[in-house]
Amino acid sequence: MPRTRKLPSADYFRKFVKYDPLTGEFIWIAASARKRKTGCKTGFKDGKAGHILVRIEDVNYRAHRLAWLLEKGEDPGHFEVDHINGDKADNRIENLRLSTRGQNRANSVHNKSSKSGLKGVYWCKKQKKWRAQITVNKKVMKLGSFTDPFEAHMAYREAAVKYHGEFANVG
């Protein structure tokens, strides 16, 4: 399970910010010592991961987890909050859902350093072929070797839909 800090109550956050579920933005409702003005948007992008963070009383909170708490009334706890469309900065409530770590990873985009540019496909030097693989329940499943990277990707896509269902990001 991923380690997550238990969030303070929704009432605590409502003293400082208002969440707009249609836009996914947070608005200051209380001025603070750091010259934040009431009615102004808050949040900044985490450079590494691309998530939006909201800083309240010198603590950064991930906006998607905060949005879930304020809109659904419950701390996501040990669950992850998945961005359905894959855009980590899109915190509209319709774009968020609870997931396990595996489901969230299944919905991720392909590795940008991949030579194939296709999710689930890599070049095998030894065989001189494209290989397809998928991870299911922390186990890597080999899907076969192919001369064409797009054939390998089609094998990955089929397996992703079969094993990951609604969380399959076949990008």
Side-chain angles (χ1 to χ4, degrees):
M1 296 285 168
R3 292 176 51 192
T4 57
R5 171 187 330 127
K6 182 165 175 41
L7 293 173
S9 72
D11 289 338
Y12 168 79
F13 290 110
R14 287 187 183 112
K15 292 188 293 186
F16 301 100
V17 294
K18 179 181 150 209
Y19 168 69
D20 183 342
L22 299 177
T23 65
E25 295 174 335
F26 290 84
I27 309 295
W28 285 112
I29 59 171
S32 74
R34 296 197 185 256
K35 299 181 183 172
R36 294 181 177 112
K37 294 192 169 93
T38 302
C40 292
K41 291 183 208 174
T42 187
F44 61 96
K45 204 171 225 180
D46 172 9
K48 294 182 291 181
H51 291 104
I52 301 296
L53 300 176
V54 175
R55 188 168 183 83
I56 297 175
E57 294 196 331
D58 294 328
V59 178
N60 292 334
Y61 298 95
R62 289 189 171 193
H64 54 285
R65 295 182 68 78
L66 188 52
W68 190 268
L69 172 69
L70 292 173
E71 194 63 18
K72 302 294 185 177
E74 62 185 17
D75 185 333
H78 66 274
F79 286 102
E80 295 193 7
V81 179
D82 179 42
H83 293 83
I84 297 168
N85 68 6
D87 180 354
K88 297 175 186 177
D90 182 354
N91 292 308
R92 295 172 297 125
I93 198 66
E94 69 183 26
N95 187 45
L96 303 176
R97 63 183 168 192
L98 291 181
S99 68
T100 64
R101 167 69 54 114
Q103 289 169 326
N104 200 345
R105 291 184 58 84
N107 189 33
S108 67
V109 295
H110 75 279
N111 184 342
K112 291 178 177 134
S113 65
S114 165
K115 288 181 183 177
S116 71
L118 301 167
K119 189 171 181 183
V121 178
Y122 68 96
W123 177 250
C124 178
K125 288 182 188 178
K126 187 176 178 181
Q127 288 186 325
K128 295 191 180 342
K129 290 192 177 198
W130 295 100
R131 306 258 341 239
Q133 70 180 30
I134 190 168
T135 303
V136 179
N137 296 326
K138 300 181 185 178
K139 292 188 174 39
V140 176
M141 297 173 63
K142 305 288 186 190
L143 302 173
S145 300
F146 305 85
T147 55
D148 180 21
F150 295 103
E151 287 180 38
H153 186 58
M154 291 310 293
Y156 170 80
R157 290 172 64 110
E158 186 177 308
V161 170
K162 177 180 177 181
Y163 293 109
H164 300 312
E166 70 176 288
F167 289 90
N169 181 339
V170 294

